Each structure stands twice: as structure tokens, then as C-alpha cells.
Amino acid sequence: MKIRYLLLHAYGMGGTIRTVVNQANAMAVAGHDVELVSVVRRRDRPQFSVDERVRVTALVDQRAGIVVPTLQARVARRLRGRAVPSGEFAIRYFTPEVERAVTGYLAGLRDGVLVTTRPGLNLLAARFGGGAEVRVAQEHMNLATHRPDVRQAVLRHYPKFDAVVVLTEGDRVEYSRALAGTRVERIPNAVHTLDQPHSDQSNKIVIAAGRLFAQKGFDLLLPAFAEVVRRHPDWQLRIYGTGPRKDRLREQIEELRLYNNVFMMGRTEHFDRELTKASVFVLSSRFEGLPMVMIEAMSHALPIVSFDCPTGPADVITDGSDGVLVPAEDIEALGAALVRVIADRPLRERMGEAAAETVRNYAPTAVMPRWETLFSELTAARRRSGGQRGH
Amino acid sequence: MGVPAVNAHAEVEEIWPEEGRVRVLGFVHGLDAAAEGWQMVLSLREPRGPELAYPAVLSGQAFEATVPIADLVAPQAPDKGVWDVHLATGEVRLRVGRRLDDIRDKSTIMVFPAQLVPIDDGFTHVRPRYTVNENLSIDYWHAA
């Protein structure tokens, strides 16, 4: 099969990019003809390792800077209407030049499976990508998290897809209901490998990771961890990541007198090793899609303590078995759950083992064949119907 | 007492920059700390020479010492300066630092709050920090 993945920035960092690169690599390994199409290019090379059989191309090279849209271009777009609603969280990427490049690329497609990977690209593919034989939209966000204009466009245009693929069971139910008649599948992202050293539960380290901004809820985690420090002053919290909230979190650490226990670690090239050293992973997000970093932590046999936020944690974690789920944004409950697992090493060991078992569902060997099957089924269905589109 | 091992140092576990003081807790590493008369000695980097000493309490290998920040604005360098922190007794002088854990680049990761000393027309900021070699120093700088 010929499979094209359209990605906003294949040269960037981030969870979506990583999982799409992993999928592209797996499809290439399975013998398919795979192309990774990056809408923009802001770096010389991809940050995640791309299989040499995967062709990487870019539509708009922004390495020398971003072309500021002319007044004419902006007026022209105002007149014909934005193809990507302004509520798209990545709207700043979709300049008139970028929109034009994407629609031009889509209009040139005559065959193959086209996979688009975020709302803005999905909406463009729904409207302009009819030349592809099969179109699949990946949707990493739950319907309620989209801003109203994006949600409206999703409801209107996603029925043109052969399939919409979501990450969690909750999302599958929601999108199926909203897009009656459209095939909606749940395929979780895969971790890159299960072959990871396990935590030996010897270090007094709780680990968290994510971009330092409101979504990740580190401002909720800090007061919860203050409760841990009151009872277990020799435990550390290490937060990996960078972001705009760093200074504010630093102030909060000072106010809570946590500077001997909580460390903002920044970026690391060896996050795997840091996970292995830890004894608990904590997720304090206000919302998620499917938190891959948590699933990655499970591959190191780390017990999880997490808010039961929409969506993801409840899909993955069985409360009391491989982790502890507490009500979303309940700081006191998060602190109490951390204290409970920290005080009980045998519990952590049991939960860690269960986590390493759960994570098998997210192994590449479990997930990638589901994509292959889906693409084959959709291609066969399309050929049976003689290329007639259902919508 | 004997000659200390080359690698002996005073390992920091906690630093509390609060209430006009900097309190440092840790343990002596690589040397039997049984001697009497331990002090926390601060030496100014530039100009070299001025030193401050405060009693350190030892319990087994563990030490604890407290430095009042108002002492740290050296008349020889009123605008800014750096104090290097040692734990010393008799001929023995151990650099205070945090070298035994797995965290490198501590200066950006283990960050401590600055405290203010009111001086004339403004404040002098005092902040403990780790050097590139993971040793403990205390910076001060004047801001009008």
C-alpha cells in the first residue's frame, strides 16, 4: 500500500509527532510505501529517528523564517473564509501561504491512503483531499476539548473520511455518536518499545513530565507533593520538561518551601534512564488525549498516580491494580494517593508489575497490525464500491 | 585526625534560606568527622582574604550550620560578591557541595530563593547556589 502521513511539523518535538513517526516507521518495516509529509519545516532534521525507507518531504520550508502574509493574502482569505477555524490550537501555523500549500498538495493526490494527524489538517483533507483513494483522520483530542468553531467544522466535514481514528474508548463512543454513519475506530498510540529496564523501587523519586503549561497541572501537583514532603521529607519530585510556566512554578516551589524536594529538571536526552530510576509516576493534567508519557512510564514498571481527567488515564489505568486514580483536579486526593504508595513499597512493587503487564496492550506489535488491517479493509471497501464515495 | 582523603568533602542534603539566615544540613563524606571544633567557613572570592566562620554542629557524620545573611555584605566588596562555603576544623578544610547524587547542572535545577538585606538606598540580595562543580557558594548583589 501507498501510505502518506500528513503532519504539521515532522521536524519538531512532541507526543503527536513521535507517535506518527513511529507509525510511519512501522508501516515501512511492514513493506509499505510510506511518505511523511511535513506541512512546514523549521529544522534541518527530524528530532525522532525516521526509518530510512520512509520518504520525508516538506511543503513549506520555514528554516529561513516565516513569510508574513501580505495584506492582499489576508483580505483574500477573509473573503473566501478560513479553511481552518481560528479555534484550532495550532492556528498560527496556518498562514495563507501554508493553507495554499496544503490544499495544492491535497489536490494533486490520485491514489493511496492519506492519513492526517490534527484537526486543521483533517479539515483541509476532508474538503480538498478527495483524490486520495482512502482518507483517514487521526483525532487526538476529545470532542469537548475542541473550541466551538472547530467542533462545528468537525461535525460537518469528518463524515467525508473513510475512518476517523481516536485514542480512547470514551472518544470512540463520543465521536461515533456525533458522526453517525462514519466509521470511528479506537487505536491507541504505541510505546516505542516494551524492552525497558524496570524500576527497582529503591530510589525515593517521584517523576512527572510534560510541557510546563496549564494543561499539565503541575501547579496542582506542587501543593499535593507538599503533603508528601510533610510525611516523607526524603522523597523528591522531579519534573521533566520546559515551557512558559517555569518561572511561575518556581515561585510556587518557593512559596511552598519545596526547593529541597522538587526539581524542575528541564529537558533530557535520556528520559528512559530517568524513568528507570524513579519509583512512582504522577500525572496531574487537567486534560489529555492519551498520555503516552504515562504509558511509557508503565513500561518501566512504575506505578501510576493520576488524576482521572478527560481522557486517557481511566482508559489505561485500573484503579488499585496498576495505579491509583483520583478525582480530577483534587489536590488533597492526589497528595493522599502519593503518600499511600510512597509509604508502601510492596504495594508499589505489585502495582509496578501490573503496570508492566497492562502496557503490553500498547506494544508496537499489538498496535501496528491494527493500522495495517484498517488500511487494508478501507482500501478493499473502496475498491469494491468502485471508488464511489459514500458522502 | 590524619590527612583527609583527597576526595573528602561535606555533602549537602538541605539548604534553607529563610528568616534572614541560610541553614545548611548535610554529612561529612570520605573522612571520619569525630574531631571537635567544626566550623562553617565562608571565604570571599574577590578580593581574596576576608573570611567568616560560624559554629557547625556535628552528630556522627551529620553537620548543620547557620549563616546570618546580614553578615555577608563584605565592606571590601559592597556591591556584589561570592562566598565559597567550607566545613573546617583545625587543619582540615572540606569544600561544601552536593556531588553524590545523580543530578548534574545543579545551578539550573536546584535553585534556592534569594533573601533581601535592606541597605541604605535599596536591598542586597543573598542567594545560595551550586557552582559548575556542584559546590555551594553564596552570592550577594546590590540592587537600588
Side-chain angles (χ1 to χ4, degrees), chain A residues 4-76:
Chain A
R4 297 182 178 93
Y5 290 92
L6 188 60
L7 195 57
L8 197 50
H9 190 213
Y11 301 84
M13 299 285 289
T16 303
I17 298 166
R18 182 179 193 161
T19 57
V20 174
V21 168
N22 286 346
Q23 286 170 26
N25 288 348
M27 292 305 126
V29 169
H32 302 291
D33 177 7
V34 180
E35 189 176 0
L36 197 56
V37 182
S38 187
V39 170
V40 299
R41 178 175 191 180
R42 294 178 174 180
R43 282 205 184 93
D44 290 333
R45 348 172 147 266
Q47 305 293 293
F48 301 109
S49 68
V50 178
D51 190 285
E52 56 184 12
R53 286 159 285 191
V54 175
R55 266 168 303 128
V56 184
T57 57
L59 301 181
V60 181
D61 194 331
Q62 296 182 332
R63 278 175 292 175
I66 295 161
V67 178
V68 178
T70 61
L71 179 63
Q72 202 183 0
R74 279 185 286 136
V75 170

Side-chain angles (χ1 to χ4, degrees), chain A residues 119-184:
Chain A
L121 298 176
N122 294 342
L123 293 170
L124 288 169
R127 292 176 61 183
F128 305 106
E133 190 172 17
V134 166
R135 283 181 286 175
V136 175
Q138 292 188 358
E139 184 49 74
H140 291 181
M141 286 217 318
N142 78 336
L143 197 53
T145 311
H146 287 307
R147 297 217 176 102
D149 56 347
V150 176
R151 193 157 52 235
Q152 283 311 311
V154 163
L155 297 179
R156 178 160 165 219
H157 294 293
Y158 277 21
K160 296 198 186 72
F161 283 100
D162 296 272
V164 174
V165 181
V166 298
L167 294 173
T168 67
E169 184 54 27
D171 288 339
R172 195 191 62 74
V173 170
E174 234 180 283
Y175 278 93
S176 298
R177 202 176 290 148
L179 305 170
T182 306
R183 179 165 178 178
V184 179

Side-chain angles (χ1 to χ4, degrees), chain B:
Chain B
M1 187 80 243
V3 180
V6 177
N7 291 327
H9 75 281
E11 176 78 2
V12 177
E13 291 184 300
E14 293 173 28
I15 299 174
W16 296 99
E18 293 177 347
E19 294 170 358
R21 294 189 286 265
V22 177
R23 194 158 67 96
V24 182
L25 294 86
F27 58 91
V28 174
H29 175 79
L31 176 78
D32 181 358
E36 301 282 312
W38 285 96
Q39 290 185 309
M40 181 157 280
V41 177
L42 279 63
S43 46
L44 194 65
R45 253 192 226 173
E46 213 182 301
R48 233 170 237 295
E51 289 203 336
L52 300 167
Y54 303 92
V57 177
L58 271 281
S59 166
Q61 295 293 105
F63 73 87
E64 178 177 344
T66 300
V67 176
I69 59 170
D71 293 3
L72 298 182
V73 184
Q76 298 88 338
D79 291 333
K80 62 174 177 166
V82 180
W83 296 97
D84 290 327
V85 182
H86 295 83
L87 196 66
T89 181
E91 296 296 298
V92 178
R93 195 175 167 95
L94 305 176
R95 191 68 166 98
V96 175
R98 186 162 180 160
R99 306 180 196 161
L100 300 180
D101 67 6
D102 61 329
I103 296 179
R104 301 281 76 85
D105 296 325
K106 286 201 179 66
S107 60
T108 59
I109 292 173
M110 296 187 174
V111 181
F112 298 91
Q115 297 181 84
L116 302 178
V117 184
I119 296 207
D120 306 335
D121 55 336
F123 290 97
T124 293
H125 299 243
V126 178
R127 186 200 290 271
R129 58 140 174 127
Y130 289 107
T131 68
V132 288
N133 298 317
E134 329 279 13
N135 290 322
L136 177 62
S137 295
I138 302 179
D139 289 349
Y140 67 89
W141 67 96
H142 188 71

